[in-house]
């Protein structure tokens, strides 16, 4: 029996909609760990390690799949969408995933990866662009982030090329 079909596993950390640090992504079986905003990398990594350890110690015989490509999935209809409850926002989150499933297919949505958000401190913007504060420097800060995004798209391919450019997936039967 898969982990998303076992309520004892699903409910270890509480509701996916309201837990601060542990939720699900596209499917019930896709865990998502959320870390708080932090400017101390060591603290951030310790926090992430602690979330990982908590889940690993509490999922019994289940295991976390460590790769971006999913393991063998027998049939697309076996993939249960993440369930966030019956509140309006919970139903919207599940409906959003239903749309992704209809548009791209459930198998495509089980490919996972790391995503992160970051922002630069005000001190950076003050030194780099001469911004005085967030309100008066809003235009310059936004333009700076767009430049950063453009350069990321321009050079972002280098990271997977150097560190992750290999195909790893289960053979199709």
């Amino acid at each position: 029996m898969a982990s998303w079909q076992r309520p004892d596993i699903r409910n270890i950390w509480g509701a996916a909609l309201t837990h601060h640090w542990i939720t699900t992504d596209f499917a019930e079986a896709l865990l998502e760990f959320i870390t708080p905003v932090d400017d101390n990398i060591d603290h951030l990594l310790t926090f992430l390690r602690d979330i990982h350890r908590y889940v690993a110690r509490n999922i019994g015989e289940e295991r976390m799949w460590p790769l971006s490509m999913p393991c063998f999935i027998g049939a697309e209809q076996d993939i249960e969408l993440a369930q966030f409850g019956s509140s309006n926002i919970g139903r919207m989150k599940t409906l959003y995933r239903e749309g992704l499933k209809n548009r791209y297919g459930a198998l495509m949505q089980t490919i996972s990866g790391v995503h992160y958000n970051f922002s630069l401190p005000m001190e950076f913007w003050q030194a780099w662009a001469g911004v005085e504060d967030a309100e008066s420097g809003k235009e310059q800060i936004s333009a700076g982030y767009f430049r950063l995004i453009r350069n990321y798209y321009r050079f972002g391919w280098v990271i997977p090329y150097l560190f992750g450019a290999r195909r790893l997936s289960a053979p199709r039967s």
Side-chain angles (χ1 to χ4, degrees), residues 12-151:
I12 288 172
W13 43 83
L17 180 62
T18 58
H19 197 285
H20 290 290
W21 318 121
I22 306 168
T23 188
T24 52
D25 197 343
F26 172 76
E28 278 292 303
L30 291 173
L31 293 175
E32 184 173 333
F33 300 157
I34 304 163
T35 57
V37 174
D38 201 327
D39 58 3
N40 182 316
I41 292 173
D42 290 332
H43 181 261
L44 181 73
L45 291 174
T46 299
F47 194 95
L48 181 60
R49 182 204 63 205
D50 291 346
I51 295 171
H52 185 273
R53 281 183 180 172
Y54 174 80
V55 171
R57 289 178 179 154
N58 287 284
I59 59 174
E61 295 298 314
E62 297 291 328
R63 296 291 173 254
M64 288 182 274
W65 185 255
L67 306 174
S68 296
M69 292 301 290
C71 59
F72 177 77
I73 298 173
E76 192 162 333
Q77 65 266 20
D78 291 341
I79 301 169
E80 183 183 347
L81 296 180
Q83 301 297 311
F84 295 95
S86 58
S87 68
N88 284 341
I89 190 147
R91 291 185 2 232
M92 283 298 291
K93 285 177 151 286
T94 301
L95 182 63
Y96 171 72
R97 283 151 178 81
E98 184 73 42
L100 292 173
K101 177 182 172 183
N102 291 336
R103 185 170 185 158
Y104 304 109
L107 287 173
M108 181 62 81
Q109 296 303 308
T110 61
I111 299 170
S112 62
V114 173
H115 50 269
Y116 56 91
N117 301 315
F118 72 93
S119 58
L120 299 167
M122 182 52 63
E123 294 81 18
F124 170 82
W125 298 111
Q126 289 168 336
W128 185 73
V131 169
E132 291 181 30
D133 59 53
E135 191 58 38
S136 67
K138 192 187 238 181
E139 297 286 325
Q140 288 174 289
I141 293 171
S142 291
Y145 278 122
F146 279 115
R147 279 193 290 278
L148 181 66
I149 291 166
R150 277 193 301 275
N151 281 318

